[in-house]
PDB file of all heavy atoms in Angstrom:
ATOM      1  N   ILE I   1      95.749-129.045 -44.172  1.00 97.00           N
ATOM      2  CA  ILE I   1      96.139-130.151 -43.304  1.00 97.00           C
ATOM      3  C   ILE I   1      96.322-131.410 -44.137  1.00 97.00           C
ATOM      4  O   ILE I   1      95.524-131.715 -45.022  1.00 97.00           O
ATOM      5  CB  ILE I   1      95.109-130.395 -42.179  1.00 97.00           C
ATOM      6  CG1 ILE I   1      95.632-131.444 -41.190  1.00 97.00           C
ATOM      7  CG2 ILE I   1      93.739-130.802 -42.733  1.00 97.00           C
ATOM      8  CD1 ILE I   1      94.846-131.542 -39.901  1.00 97.00           C
ATOM      9  N   CYS I   2      97.415-132.103 -43.872  1.00 96.00           N
ATOM     10  CA  CYS I   2      97.663-133.408 -44.478  1.00 96.00           C
ATOM     11  C   CYS I   2      97.273-134.449 -43.439  1.00 96.00           C
ATOM     12  O   CYS I   2      97.843-134.487 -42.337  1.00 96.00           O
ATOM     13  CB  CYS I   2      99.133-133.544 -44.852  1.00 96.00           C
ATOM     14  SG  CYS I   2      99.567-135.140 -45.580  1.00 96.00           S
ATOM     15  N   VAL I   3      96.269-135.268 -43.750  1.00 98.00           N
ATOM     16  CA  VAL I   3      95.720-136.212 -42.777  1.00 98.00           C
ATOM     17  C   VAL I   3      96.078-137.651 -43.115  1.00 98.00           C
ATOM     18  O   VAL I   3      96.331-138.003 -44.269  1.00 98.00           O
ATOM     19  CB  VAL I   3      94.182-136.082 -42.663  1.00 98.00           C
ATOM     20  CG1 VAL I   3      93.801-134.699 -42.161  1.00 98.00           C
ATOM     21  CG2 VAL I   3      93.504-136.396 -43.992  1.00 98.00           C
ATOM     22  N   SER I   4      96.065-138.484 -42.098  1.00 97.00           N
ATOM     23  CA  SER I   4      96.254-139.923 -42.255  1.00 97.00           C
ATOM     24  C   SER I   4      94.905-140.600 -42.474  1.00 97.00           C
ATOM     25  O   SER I   4      93.873-140.115 -42.001  1.00 97.00           O
ATOM     26  CB  SER I   4      96.919-140.511 -41.009  1.00 97.00           C
ATOM     27  OG  SER I   4      98.231-140.003 -40.845  1.00 97.00           O
ATOM     28  N   SER I   5      94.924-141.720 -43.177  1.00 97.00           N
ATOM     29  CA  SER I   5      93.694-142.470 -43.445  1.00 97.00           C
ATOM     30  C   SER I   5      93.731-143.876 -42.860  1.00 97.00           C
ATOM     31  O   SER I   5      92.709-144.554 -42.805  1.00 97.00           O
ATOM     32  CB  SER I   5      93.430-142.559 -44.948  1.00 97.00           C
ATOM     33  OG  SER I   5      94.539-143.145 -45.616  1.00 97.00           O
ATOM     34  N   GLN I   6      94.921-144.320 -42.442  1.00 97.00           N
ATOM     35  CA  GLN I   6      95.069-145.638 -41.846  1.00 97.00           C
ATOM     36  C   GLN I   6      96.110-145.563 -40.723  1.00 97.00           C
ATOM     37  O   GLN I   6      96.926-144.639 -40.684  1.00 97.00           O
ATOM     38  CB  GLN I   6      95.541-146.671 -42.887  1.00 97.00           C
ATOM     39  CG  GLN I   6      94.562-146.929 -44.013  1.00 97.00           C
ATOM     40  CD  GLN I   6      95.117-147.906 -45.045  1.00 97.00           C
ATOM     41  OE1 GLN I   6      96.221-147.735 -45.533  1.00 97.00           O
ATOM     42  NE2 GLN I   6      94.334-148.928 -45.381  1.00 97.00           N
ATOM     43  N   VAL I   7      96.069-146.547 -39.842  1.00 96.00           N
ATOM     44  CA  VAL I   7      97.143-146.697 -38.856  1.00 96.00           C
ATOM     45  C   VAL I   7      98.178-147.607 -39.497  1.00 96.00           C
ATOM     46  O   VAL I   7      98.012-148.823 -39.552  1.00 96.00           O
ATOM     47  CB  VAL I   7      96.621-147.309 -37.540  1.00 96.00           C
ATOM     48  CG1 VAL I   7      97.768-147.429 -36.534  1.00 96.00           C
ATOM     49  CG2 VAL I   7      95.497-146.473 -36.958  1.00 96.00           C
ATOM     50  N   GLY I   8      99.222-147.004 -40.043  1.00 93.00           N
ATOM     51  CA  GLY I   8     100.205-147.752 -40.812  1.00 93.00           C
ATOM     52  C   GLY I   8      99.773-147.897 -42.258  1.00 93.00           C
ATOM     53  O   GLY I   8      98.762-147.332 -42.689  1.00 93.00           O
ATOM     54  N   CYS I   9     100.541-148.636 -43.020  1.00 92.00           N
ATOM     55  CA  CYS I   9     100.267-148.778 -44.454  1.00 92.00           C
ATOM     56  C   CYS I   9     100.747-150.137 -44.941  1.00 92.00           C
ATOM     57  O   CYS I   9     101.786-150.637 -44.509  1.00 92.00           O
ATOM     58  CB  CYS I   9     100.971-147.654 -45.224  1.00 92.00           C
ATOM     59  SG  CYS I   9     100.613-147.631 -46.988  1.00 92.00           S
ATOM     60  N   LYS I  10      99.977-150.740 -45.858  1.00 91.00           N
ATOM     61  CA  LYS I  10     100.302-152.063 -46.410  1.00 91.00           C
ATOM     62  C   LYS I  10     101.165-151.994 -47.666  1.00 91.00           C
ATOM     63  O   LYS I  10     101.636-153.023 -48.156  1.00 91.00           O
ATOM     64  CB  LYS I  10      99.023-152.806 -46.790  1.00 91.00           C
ATOM     65  CG  LYS I  10      97.976-152.937 -45.719  1.00 91.00           C
ATOM     66  CD  LYS I  10      96.708-153.546 -46.335  1.00 91.00           C
ATOM     67  CE  LYS I  10      95.552-153.555 -45.361  1.00 91.00           C
ATOM     68  NZ  LYS I  10      94.301-154.024 -46.017  1.00 91.00           N
ATOM     69  N   MET I  11     101.323-150.797 -48.237  1.00 88.00           N
ATOM     70  CA  MET I  11     101.828-150.691 -49.604  1.00 88.00           C
ATOM     71  C   MET I  11     103.323-150.966 -49.747  1.00 88.00           C
ATOM     72  O   MET I  11     103.784-151.374 -50.804  1.00 88.00           O
ATOM     73  CB  MET I  11     101.481-149.320 -50.177  1.00 88.00           C
ATOM     74  CG  MET I  11      99.977-149.050 -50.281  1.00 88.00           C
ATOM     75  SD  MET I  11      99.102-150.213 -51.347  1.00 88.00           S
ATOM     76  CE  MET I  11      98.083-151.090 -50.140  1.00 88.00           C
ATOM     77  N   GLY I  12     104.111-150.702 -48.711  1.00 83.00           N
ATOM     78  CA  GLY I  12     105.512-151.106 -48.710  1.00 83.00           C
ATOM     79  C   GLY I  12     106.447-150.326 -49.606  1.00 83.00           C
ATOM     80  O   GLY I  12     107.515-150.842 -49.979  1.00 83.00           O
ATOM     81  N   CYS I  13     106.111-149.093 -49.977  1.00 83.00           N
ATOM     82  CA  CYS I  13     107.009-148.283 -50.811  1.00 83.00           C
ATOM     83  C   CYS I  13     108.324-148.063 -50.065  1.00 83.00           C
ATOM     84  O   CYS I  13     108.325-147.661 -48.899  1.00 83.00           O
ATOM     85  CB  CYS I  13     106.356-146.943 -51.145  1.00 83.00           C
ATOM     86  SG  CYS I  13     104.765-147.112 -51.978  1.00 83.00           S
ATOM     87  N   ASN I  14     109.448-148.298 -50.739  1.00 76.00           N
ATOM     88  CA  ASN I  14     110.712-148.361 -50.003  1.00 76.00           C
ATOM     89  C   ASN I  14     111.373-147.011 -49.742  1.00 76.00           C
ATOM     90  O   ASN I  14     112.456-146.947 -49.174  1.00 76.00           O
ATOM     91  CB  ASN I  14     111.706-149.305 -50.695  1.00 76.00           C
ATOM     92  CG  ASN I  14     112.322-148.713 -51.957  1.00 76.00           C
ATOM     93  OD1 ASN I  14     112.036-147.579 -52.348  1.00 76.00           O
ATOM     94  ND2 ASN I  14     113.174-149.484 -52.607  1.00 76.00           N
ATOM     95  N   PHE I  15     110.703-145.915 -50.124  1.00 71.00           N
ATOM     96  CA  PHE I  15     111.231-144.586 -49.808  1.00 71.00           C
ATOM     97  C   PHE I  15     110.384-143.896 -48.745  1.00 71.00           C
ATOM     98  O   PHE I  15     110.617-142.744 -48.402  1.00 71.00           O
ATOM     99  CB  PHE I  15     111.275-143.706 -51.071  1.00 71.00           C
ATOM    100  CG  PHE I  15     109.974-143.683 -51.821  1.00 71.00           C
ATOM    101  CD1 PHE I  15     108.943-142.853 -51.438  1.00 71.00           C
ATOM    102  CD2 PHE I  15     109.773-144.524 -52.909  1.00 71.00           C
ATOM    103  CE1 PHE I  15     107.737-142.854 -52.111  1.00 71.00           C
ATOM    104  CE2 PHE I  15     108.567-144.537 -53.589  1.00 71.00           C
ATOM    105  CZ  PHE I  15     107.545-143.694 -53.184  1.00 71.00           C
ATOM    106  N   CYS I  16     109.376-144.598 -48.226  1.00 74.00           N
ATOM    107  CA  CYS I  16     108.381-143.991 -47.347  1.00 74.00           C
ATOM    108  C   CYS I  16     108.490-144.550 -45.934  1.00 74.00           C
ATOM    109  O   CYS I  16     108.706-145.748 -45.744  1.00 74.00           O
ATOM    110  CB  CYS I  16     106.981-144.256 -47.912  1.00 74.00           C
ATOM    111  SG  CYS I  16     105.644-143.582 -46.912  1.00 74.00           S
ATOM    112  N   ALA I  17     108.316-143.666 -44.941  1.00 70.00           N
ATOM    113  CA  ALA I  17     108.403-144.083 -43.542  1.00 70.00           C
ATOM    114  C   ALA I  17     107.091-144.639 -43.004  1.00 70.00           C
ATOM    115  O   ALA I  17     107.063-145.219 -41.921  1.00 70.00           O
ATOM    116  CB  ALA I  17     108.852-142.903 -42.679  1.00 70.00           C
ATOM    117  N   SER I  18     105.994-144.474 -43.743  1.00 70.00           N
ATOM    118  CA  SER I  18     104.669-144.844 -43.214  1.00 70.00           C
ATOM    119  C   SER I  18     104.510-146.338 -42.975  1.00 70.00           C
ATOM    120  O   SER I  18     103.683-146.764 -42.169  1.00 70.00           O
ATOM    121  CB  SER I  18     103.570-144.365 -44.168  1.00 70.00           C
ATOM    122  OG  SER I  18     103.511-142.961 -44.198  1.00 70.00           O
ATOM    123  N   THR I  19     105.289-147.156 -43.688  1.00 67.00           N
ATOM    124  CA  THR I  19     105.147-148.608 -43.552  1.00 67.00           C
ATOM    125  C   THR I  19     106.057-149.200 -42.482  1.00 67.00           C
ATOM    126  O   THR I  19     105.939-150.380 -42.165  1.00 67.00           O
ATOM    127  CB  THR I  19     105.463-149.305 -44.890  1.00 67.00           C
ATOM    128  OG1 THR I  19     106.843-149.090 -45.220  1.00 67.00           O
ATOM    129  CG2 THR I  19     104.602-148.750 -46.005  1.00 67.00           C
ATOM    130  N   LEU I  20     106.946-148.387 -41.911  1.00 70.00           N
ATOM    131  CA  LEU I  20     108.002-148.920 -41.053  1.00 70.00           C
ATOM    132  C   LEU I  20     107.462-149.614 -39.798  1.00 70.00           C
ATOM    133  O   LEU I  20     108.006-150.621 -39.365  1.00 70.00           O
ATOM    134  CB  LEU I  20     108.969-147.797 -40.655  1.00 70.00           C
ATOM    135  CG  LEU I  20     109.865-147.259 -41.791  1.00 70.00           C
ATOM    136  CD1 LEU I  20     110.640-146.045 -41.313  1.00 70.00           C
ATOM    137  CD2 LEU I  20     110.818-148.339 -42.288  1.00 70.00           C
ATOM    138  N   ALA I  21     106.418-149.058 -39.191  1.00 72.00           N
ATOM    139  CA  ALA I  21     105.883-149.647 -37.958  1.00 72.00           C
ATOM    140  C   ALA I  21     104.759-150.640 -38.233  1.00 72.00           C
ATOM    141  O   ALA I  21     104.108-151.112 -37.303  1.00 72.00           O
ATOM    142  CB  ALA I  21     105.393-148.540 -37.017  1.00 72.00           C
ATOM    143  N   GLY I  22     104.525-150.962 -39.495  1.00 82.00           N
ATOM    144  CA  GLY I  22     103.522-151.963 -39.845  1.00 82.00           C
ATOM    145  C   GLY I  22     102.107-151.413 -39.905  1.00 82.00           C
ATOM    146  O   GLY I  22     101.803-150.363 -39.350  1.00 82.00           O
ATOM    147  N   PHE I  23     101.232-152.141 -40.616  1.00 90.00           N
ATOM    148  CA  PHE I  23      99.833-151.764 -40.733  1.00 90.00           C
ATOM    149  C   PHE I  23      99.046-152.361 -39.577  1.00 90.00           C
ATOM    150  O   PHE I  23      99.211-153.531 -39.221  1.00 90.00           O
ATOM    151  CB  PHE I  23      99.255-152.267 -42.060  1.00 90.00           C
ATOM    152  CG  PHE I  23      97.771-152.058 -42.188  1.00 90.00           C
ATOM    153  CD1 PHE I  23      97.263-150.827 -42.558  1.00 90.00           C
ATOM    154  CD2 PHE I  23      96.875-153.096 -41.924  1.00 90.00           C
ATOM    155  CE1 PHE I  23      95.891-150.628 -42.672  1.00 90.00           C
ATOM    156  CE2 PHE I  23      95.508-152.909 -42.039  1.00 90.00           C
ATOM    157  CZ  PHE I  23      95.024-151.666 -42.406  1.00 90.00           C
ATOM    158  N   LYS I  24      98.142-151.547 -38.984  1.00 94.00           N
ATOM    159  CA  LYS I  24      97.314-152.006 -37.876  1.00 94.00           C
ATOM    160  C   LYS I  24      95.839-152.073 -38.249  1.00 94.00           C
ATOM    161  O   LYS I  24      95.198-153.100 -38.083  1.00 94.00           O
ATOM    162  CB  LYS I  24      97.505-151.091 -36.666  1.00 94.00           C
ATOM    163  CG  LYS I  24      98.921-151.121 -36.096  1.00 94.00           C
ATOM    164  CD  LYS I  24      99.297-152.497 -35.584  1.00 94.00           C
ATOM    165  CE  LYS I  24     100.680-152.507 -34.976  1.00 94.00           C
ATOM    166  NZ  LYS I  24     101.079-153.830 -34.467  1.00 94.00           N
ATOM    167  N   ARG I  25      95.290-150.947 -38.755  1.00 96.00           N
ATOM    168  CA  ARG I  25      93.864-150.928 -39.071  1.00 96.00           C
ATOM    169  C   ARG I  25      93.514-149.687 -39.876  1.00 96.00           C
ATOM    170  O   ARG I  25      94.323-148.765 -40.014  1.00 96.00           O
ATOM    171  CB  ARG I  25      93.027-150.956 -37.791  1.00 96.00           C
ATOM    172  CG  ARG I  25      93.175-149.723 -36.893  1.00 96.00           C
ATOM    173  CD  ARG I  25      92.245-149.816 -35.697  1.00 96.00           C
ATOM    174  NE  ARG I  25      92.374-148.692 -34.780  1.00 96.00           N
ATOM    175  CZ  ARG I  25      91.736-147.527 -34.914  1.00 96.00           C
ATOM    176  NH1 ARG I  25      90.931-147.316 -35.947  1.00 96.00           N
ATOM    177  NH2 ARG I  25      91.894-146.563 -34.030  1.00 96.00           N
ATOM    178  N   ASN I  26      92.274-149.695 -40.404  1.00 97.00           N
ATOM    179  CA  ASN I  26      91.747-148.508 -41.071  1.00 97.00           C
ATOM    180  C   ASN I  26      91.253-147.504 -40.038  1.00 97.00           C
ATOM    181  O   ASN I  26      90.837-147.876 -38.933  1.00 97.00           O
ATOM    182  CB  ASN I  26      90.572-148.886 -41.982  1.00 97.00           C
ATOM    183  CG  ASN I  26      91.000-149.633 -43.216  1.00 97.00           C
ATOM    184  OD1 ASN I  26      92.081-149.413 -43.755  1.00 97.00           O
ATOM    185  ND2 ASN I  26      90.149-150.532 -43.692  1.00 97.00           N
ATOM    186  N   LEU I  27      91.273-146.237 -40.401  1.00 98.00           N
ATOM    187  CA  LEU I  27      90.632-145.209 -39.593  1.00 98.00           C
ATOM    188  C   LEU I  27      89.173-145.088 -40.002  1.00 98.00           C
ATOM    189  O   LEU I  27      88.832-145.264 -41.174  1.00 98.00           O
ATOM    190  CB  LEU I  27      91.317-143.858 -39.785  1.00 98.00           C
ATOM    191  CG  LEU I  27      92.768-143.730 -39.321  1.00 98.00           C
ATOM    192  CD1 LEU I  27      93.266-142.306 -39.571  1.00 98.00           C
ATOM    193  CD2 LEU I  27      92.926-144.102 -37.864  1.00 98.00           C
ATOM    194  N   THR I  28      88.303-144.788 -39.048  1.00 98.00           N
ATOM    195  CA  THR I  28      86.916-144.493 -39.378  1.00 98.00           C
ATOM    196  C   THR I  28      86.847-143.089 -39.978  1.00 98.00           C
ATOM    197  O   THR I  28      87.792-142.290 -39.859  1.00 98.00           O
ATOM    198  CB  THR I  28      86.024-144.545 -38.130  1.00 98.00           C
ATOM    199  OG1 THR I  28      86.397-143.479 -37.241  1.00 98.00           O
ATOM    200  CG2 THR I  28      86.159-145.881 -37.420  1.00 98.00           C
ATOM    201  N   ALA I  29      85.724-142.783 -40.599  1.00 98.00           N
ATOM    202  CA  ALA I  29      85.533-141.434 -41.138  1.00 98.00           C
ATOM    203  C   ALA I  29      85.658-140.394 -40.030  1.00 98.00           C
ATOM    204  O   ALA I  29      86.253-139.325 -40.211  1.00 98.00           O
ATOM    205  CB  ALA I  29      84.169-141.335 -41.808  1.00 98.00           C
ATOM    206  N   GLY I  30      85.108-140.714 -38.870  1.00 98.00           N
ATOM    207  CA  GLY I  30      85.176-139.794 -37.744  1.00 98.00           C
ATOM    208  C   GLY I  30      86.590-139.571 -37.255  1.00 98.00           C
ATOM    209  O   GLY I  30      86.967-138.456 -36.869  1.00 98.00           O
ATOM    210  N   GLU I  31      87.409-140.617 -37.248  1.00 98.00           N
ATOM    211  CA  GLU I  31      88.808-140.485 -36.818  1.00 98.00           C
ATOM    212  C   GLU I  31      89.613-139.645 -37.800  1.00 98.00           C
ATOM    213  O   GLU I  31      90.507-138.890 -37.401  1.00 98.00           O
ATOM    214  CB  GLU I  31      89.438-141.862 -36.654  1.00 98.00           C
ATOM    215  CG  GLU I  31      88.954-142.611 -35.434  1.00 98.00           C
ATOM    216  CD  GLU I  31      89.510-144.016 -35.352  1.00 98.00           C
ATOM    217  OE1 GLU I  31      89.620-144.686 -36.408  1.00 98.00           O
ATOM    218  OE2 GLU I  31      89.822-144.455 -34.228  1.00 98.00           O
ATOM    219  N   ILE I  32      89.299-139.778 -39.080  1.00 98.00           N
ATOM    220  CA  ILE I  32      89.995-138.950 -40.070  1.00 98.00           C
ATOM    221  C   ILE I  32      89.655-137.484 -39.841  1.00 98.00           C
ATOM    222  O   ILE I  32      90.531-136.616 -39.808  1.00 98.00           O
ATOM    223  CB  ILE I  32      89.633-139.380 -41.507  1.00 98.00           C
ATOM    224  CG1 ILE I  32      90.014-140.842 -41.749  1.00 98.00           C
ATOM    225  CG2 ILE I  32      90.353-138.490 -42.517  1.00 98.00           C
ATOM    226  CD1 ILE I  32      89.526-141.408 -43.080  1.00 98.00           C
ATOM    227  N   GLU I  33      88.354-137.195 -39.652  1.00 98.00           N
ATOM    228  CA  GLU I  33      87.942-135.810 -39.441  1.00 98.00           C
ATOM    229  C   GLU I  33      88.465-135.263 -38.117  1.00 98.00           C
ATOM    230  O   GLU I  33      88.729-134.060 -37.996  1.00 98.00           O
ATOM    231  CB  GLU I  33      86.425-135.686 -39.481  1.00 98.00           C
ATOM    232  CG  GLU I  33      85.966-134.231 -39.491  1.00 98.00           C
ATOM    233  CD  GLU I  33      84.473-134.060 -39.273  1.00 98.00           C
ATOM    234  OE1 GLU I  33      83.859-134.922 -38.615  1.00 98.00           O
ATOM    235  OE2 GLU I  33      83.926-133.061 -39.748  1.00 98.00           O
ATOM    236  N   SER I  34      88.607-136.107 -37.118  1.00 98.00           N
ATOM    237  CA  SER I  34      89.066-135.653 -35.805  1.00 98.00           C
ATOM    238  C   SER I  34      90.438-134.993 -35.869  1.00 98.00           C
ATOM    239  O   SER I  34      90.775-134.155 -35.023  1.00 98.00           O
ATOM    240  CB  SER I  34      89.095-136.831 -34.830  1.00 98.00           C
ATOM    241  OG  SER I  34      87.788-137.262 -34.519  1.00 98.00           O
ATOM    242  N   GLN I  35      91.235-135.363 -36.858  1.00 98.00           N
ATOM    243  CA  GLN I  35      92.542-134.730 -37.017  1.00 98.00           C
ATOM    244  C   GLN I  35      92.390-133.241 -37.321  1.00 98.00           C
ATOM    245  O   GLN I  35      93.152-132.408 -36.820  1.00 98.00           O
ATOM    246  CB  GLN I  35      93.326-135.427 -38.128  1.00 98.00           C
ATOM    247  CG  GLN I  35      93.631-136.882 -37.834  1.00 98.00           C
ATOM    248  CD  GLN I  35      94.109-137.645 -39.053  1.00 98.00           C
ATOM    249  OE1 GLN I  35      95.217-137.408 -39.562  1.00 98.00           O
ATOM    250  NE2 GLN I  35      93.288-138.565 -39.547  1.00 98.00           N
ATOM    251  N   LEU I  36      91.371-132.894 -38.130  1.00 98.00           N
ATOM    252  CA  LEU I  36      91.095-131.485 -38.410  1.00 98.00           C
ATOM    253  C   LEU I  36      90.646-130.759 -37.148  1.00 98.00           C
ATOM    254  O   LEU I  36      91.127-129.661 -36.840  1.00 98.00           O
ATOM    255  CB  LEU I  36      90.013-131.338 -39.475  1.00 98.00           C
ATOM    256  CG  LEU I  36      90.405-131.477 -40.945  1.00 98.00           C
ATOM    257  CD1 LEU I  36      90.547-132.936 -41.334  1.00 98.00           C
ATOM    258  CD2 LEU I  36      89.398-130.797 -41.846  1.00 98.00           C
ATOM    259  N   HIS I  37      89.713-131.366 -36.422  1.00 98.00           N
ATOM    260  CA  HIS I  37      89.182-130.721 -35.226  1.00 98.00           C
ATOM    261  C   HIS I  37      90.263-130.493 -34.186  1.00 98.00           C
ATOM    262  O   HIS I  37      90.344-129.421 -33.583  1.00 98.00           O
ATOM    263  CB  HIS I  37      88.053-131.567 -34.631  1.00 98.00           C
ATOM    264  CG  HIS I  37      86.820-131.590 -35.469  1.00 98.00           C
ATOM    265  ND1 HIS I  37      86.045-132.718 -35.615  1.00 98.00           N
ATOM    266  CD2 HIS I  37      86.223-130.631 -36.223  1.00 98.00           C
ATOM    267  CE1 HIS I  37      85.025-132.453 -36.416  1.00 98.00           C
ATOM    268  NE2 HIS I  37      85.112-131.192 -36.793  1.00 98.00           N
ATOM    269  N   ALA I  38      91.100-131.508 -33.978  1.00 98.00           N
ATOM    270  CA  ALA I  38      92.157-131.385 -32.973  1.00 98.00           C
ATOM    271  C   ALA I  38      93.122-130.268 -33.338  1.00 98.00           C
ATOM    272  O   ALA I  38      93.527-129.465 -32.482  1.00 98.00           O
ATOM    273  CB  ALA I  38      92.905-132.713 -32.826  1.00 98.00           C
ATOM    274  N   ALA I  39      93.497-130.178 -34.615  1.00 98.00           N
ATOM    275  CA  ALA I  39      94.426-129.142 -35.057  1.00 98.00           C
ATOM    276  C   ALA I  39      93.790-127.752 -34.980  1.00 98.00           C
ATOM    277  O   ALA I  39      94.427-126.789 -34.532  1.00 98.00           O
ATOM    278  CB  ALA I  39      94.896-129.436 -36.481  1.00 98.00           C
ATOM    279  N   GLN I  40      92.528-127.647 -35.428  1.00 97.00           N
ATOM    280  CA  GLN I  40      91.855-126.351 -35.391  1.00 97.00           C
ATOM    281  C   GLN I  40      91.705-125.841 -33.957  1.00 97.00           C
ATOM    282  O   GLN I  40      91.949-124.667 -33.670  1.00 97.00           O
ATOM    283  CB  GLN I  40      90.474-126.443 -36.051  1.00 97.00           C
ATOM    284  CG  GLN I  40      90.524-126.581 -37.563  1.00 97.00           C
ATOM    285  CD  GLN I  40      89.165-126.434 -38.228  1.00 97.00           C
ATOM    286  OE1 GLN I  40      89.068-125.977 -39.364  1.00 97.00           O
ATOM    287  NE2 GLN I  40      88.109-126.809 -37.553  1.00 97.00           N
ATOM    288  N   HIS I  41      91.309-126.706 -33.054  1.00 97.00           N
ATOM    289  CA  HIS I  41      91.131-126.304 -31.663  1.00 97.00           C
ATOM    290  C   HIS I  41      92.457-125.925 -31.022  1.00 97.00           C
ATOM    291  O   HIS I  41      92.545-124.959 -30.263  1.00 97.00           O
ATOM    292  CB  HIS I  41      90.474-127.425 -30.870  1.00 97.00           C
ATOM    293  CG  HIS I  41      89.045-127.660 -31.247  1.00 97.00           C
ATOM    294  ND1 HIS I  41      88.342-128.782 -30.856  1.00 97.00           N
ATOM    295  CD2 HIS I  41      88.169-126.924 -31.984  1.00 97.00           C
ATOM    296  CE1 HIS I  41      87.102-128.725 -31.338  1.00 97.00           C
ATOM    297  NE2 HIS I  41      86.983-127.611 -32.032  1.00 97.00           N
TER     298      HIS I  41
END
């Protein structure tokens, strides 16, 4: 699984879509892990 670590991204790399909708906040450790649980279930 490829997981996200933030809601959006600050880095601004011009070949990447992750920055397009802007940076909002960091994910908690639990939110990062929840991506695994949701996919596994």
Side-chain angles (χ1 to χ4, degrees):
I1 187 167
C2 179
V3 298
S4 295
S5 57
Q6 296 177 309
V7 181
C9 185
K10 306 173 187 174
M11 298 299 113
C13 303
N14 75 1
F15 51 82
C16 179
S18 293
T19 65
L20 290 173
F23 173 81
K24 296 298 182 180
R25 65 177 178 85
N26 288 327
L27 295 181
T28 66
E31 287 175 321
I32 301 172
E33 189 191 28
S34 291
Q35 297 166 69
L36 279 79
H37 291 142
Q40 288 190 150
H41 291 167

